[in-house]
Amino acid sequence: MTEKDLNILKSLLERTENLPDILHLRAAPLGYELTQNDKDLLLDTYQKLDDILKEVAAFINVKFPGRQDYIQPWNKIDFDTKIGGMKIVTTDREHTKSAWKKGMFDLKSLIKSLINEVRLLVDEENEMKRNPLFDENEWKKYLDKRLEKRADEADFFLDMIIEKGLINLDKSSVRKHFKSWFKETQNFDLQFKDGDFAIEDGDIQIVPDFDKNNIPEFLNWFEKKGNKFMDYLKEQGVNVKKGAKETIINNGNMIINKKSKIGKQTLNNGKEEKESNWSKANVIIALIVGIATIVGIVWQIMN
């Protein structure tokens, strides 16, 4: 709904309230003979009223299709005298006045009900437009920020590519490719705040943060994803040296072993290999978290 819709209804209500007063003519005393002006006034009023009724019906059919709570009241609007649901012709002036007043009251009540609902819908939509949570540009900025963080976490990996000359690109270009690849292939939709909730493939999950210096964690993840990234680079027309993934894994293990206080250690590549936190398969599904909590978390971040 829009402000335009609201204005249409307000105009219909105003036109209804401004209809000429013709009760004295509809319930004229017996023997009163209508003048030409009286006839013109009645005809003009009936035409205006008919236009209003048609426009109200059109609004309901277009904006609230199938809404019986609006369709039924419109069908019940009547300005003629009735007895037991059957229209009658009567000389009872009060009965005639009552039927006309009831018809006008029902019409105005219906329009007012429409105005109330449309106003709420317009206010809701305006609130959504003002809310940064529903600003597409804000989400794009936020997603880019999260992708930047992923690239920071892969800093070791990116440096390794440059230092070993595995591809003929500078670091900024490699970083750009990494962000694009992660965005397109890793099913990463949204992370609300550091180390907290994320939405991934429709599931609410808990996603841990990663220290960019946590080389074992990264290598464990890269062993599963590395070839896919290298293939992505090739698809982008980048010349990738053969065995680039293995070079990164081996050099990463050498760095780990060199820093280890225990001595030589390698990543566990056996059947019981612990899946990396970088993989969405290891995150804890948190479906019990309510939408209200999620929105609250996001709202705090965006502010």
Side-chain angles (χ1 to χ4, degrees):
M1 294 295 174
T2 65
E3 291 286 348
K4 182 179 179 180
D5 296 318
L6 190 57
N7 290 334
I8 288 173
L9 292 173
K10 289 180 178 179
S11 176
L12 285 169
L13 181 60
E14 183 179 359
R15 286 161 57 192
T16 303
E17 291 175 338
N18 290 336
L19 285 172
D21 183 8
I22 58 172
L23 270 182
H24 64 290
L25 299 178
R26 283 183 62 90
L30 286 175
Y32 179 79
E33 186 173 340
L34 296 175
T35 67
Q36 186 59 46
N37 287 338
D38 293 337
K39 294 177 181 179
D40 291 343
L41 179 61
L42 284 172
L43 180 60
D44 180 60
T45 302
Y46 292 154
Q47 287 177 339
K48 289 179 178 177
L49 179 58
D50 186 59
D51 289 341
I52 291 171
L53 288 167
K54 288 177 179 177
E55 290 178 40
V56 171
F59 189 94
I60 293 171
N61 289 332
V62 172
K63 300 297 181 176
F64 298 101
R67 283 283 296 271
Q68 293 301 315
D69 53 328
Y70 288 138
I71 295 174
Q72 291 177 3
W74 188 92
N75 287 329
K76 290 180 179 179
I77 296 174
D78 202 333
F79 304 92
D80 297 320
T81 51
K82 289 183 178 181
I83 292 180
M86 299 292 293
K87 289 185 179 181
I88 62 168
V89 177
T90 178
T91 57
D92 186 331
R93 297 178 65 198
E94 295 304 317
H95 196 177
T96 301
K97 289 180 181 179
S98 177
W100 178 261
K101 289 179 179 178
K102 182 179 185 305
M104 295 300 296
F105 176 83
D106 291 344
L107 175 57
K108 291 177 184 178
S109 295
L110 175 58
I111 296 175
K112 288 177 182 178
S113 295
L114 289 166
I115 288 175
N116 290 336
E117 179 162 356
V118 170
R119 180 181 287 117
L120 289 174
L121 292 173
V122 169
D123 289 344
E124 184 179 84
E125 290 185 16
N126 287 339
E127 179 65 25
M128 290 175 66
K129 290 177 182 177
R130 291 191 295 267
N131 192 328
L133 293 178
F134 302 99
D135 188 327
E136 183 178 356
N137 290 330
E138 290 298 322
W139 282 121
K140 287 180 179 178
K141 292 178 184 177
Y142 182 73
L143 178 57
D144 188 68
K145 181 179 178 181
R146 301 311 304 168
L147 292 170
E148 283 287 343
K149 186 174 186 297
R150 287 305 190 203
D152 288 341
E153 291 162 359
D155 193 66
F156 153 79
F157 160 66
L158 302 179
D159 282 340
M160 182 77 70
I161 286 180
I162 303 302
E163 291 173 6
K164 299 296 179 181
L166 301 178
I167 59 177
N168 188 26
L169 290 175
D170 57 27
K171 187 171 181 179
S172 63
S173 298
V174 178
R175 185 183 180 92
K176 182 179 179 180
H177 281 301
F178 183 83
K179 285 175 58 181
S180 297
W181 169 72
F182 200 94
K183 180 180 180 181
E184 293 176 16
T185 65
Q186 299 309 298
N187 299 319
F188 175 81
D189 297 324
L190 169 68
Q191 184 168 321
F192 289 149
K193 73 175 185 179
D194 292 349
D196 208 345
F197 297 108
I199 293 178
E200 203 168 326
D201 287 347
D203 286 335
I204 301 170
Q205 303 172 335
I206 295 177
V207 178
D209 271 339
F210 307 101
D211 187 325
K212 66 180 181 180
N213 295 318
N214 189 350
I215 297 175
E217 179 66 21
F218 173 79
L219 286 179
N220 198 16
W221 173 82
F222 185 68
E223 277 199 298
K224 301 178 182 66
K225 307 291 186 180
N227 284 334
K228 293 181 180 179
F229 178 61
M230 295 304 173
D231 290 340
Y232 176 83
L233 290 175
K234 293 175 184 177
E235 291 173 3
Q236 305 305 308
V238 178
N239 184 20
V240 180
K241 286 188 177 181
K242 187 177 180 180
K245 175 191 171 184
E246 290 71 21
T247 300
I248 293 174
I249 295 296
N250 292 335
N251 279 275
N253 280 324
M254 288 177 63
I255 294 172
I256 295 171
N257 293 335
K258 184 176 181 181
K259 292 183 177 180
S260 173
K261 295 180 181 180
I262 300 174
K264 184 177 180 181
Q265 60 175 336
T266 57
L267 294 173
N268 181 4
N269 296 318
K271 294 182 179 180
E272 297 182 357
E273 176 182 350
K274 181 180 178 181
E275 187 171 2
S276 167
N277 285 337
W278 276 62
S279 172
K280 66 178 183 179
N282 194 45
V283 297
I284 304 173
I285 298 176
L287 294 177
I288 59 173
V289 181
I291 296 299
T293 303
I294 299 172
V295 172
I297 294 171
V298 182
W299 179 256
Q300 291 177 4
I301 296 167
M302 304 303 291
N303 286 280

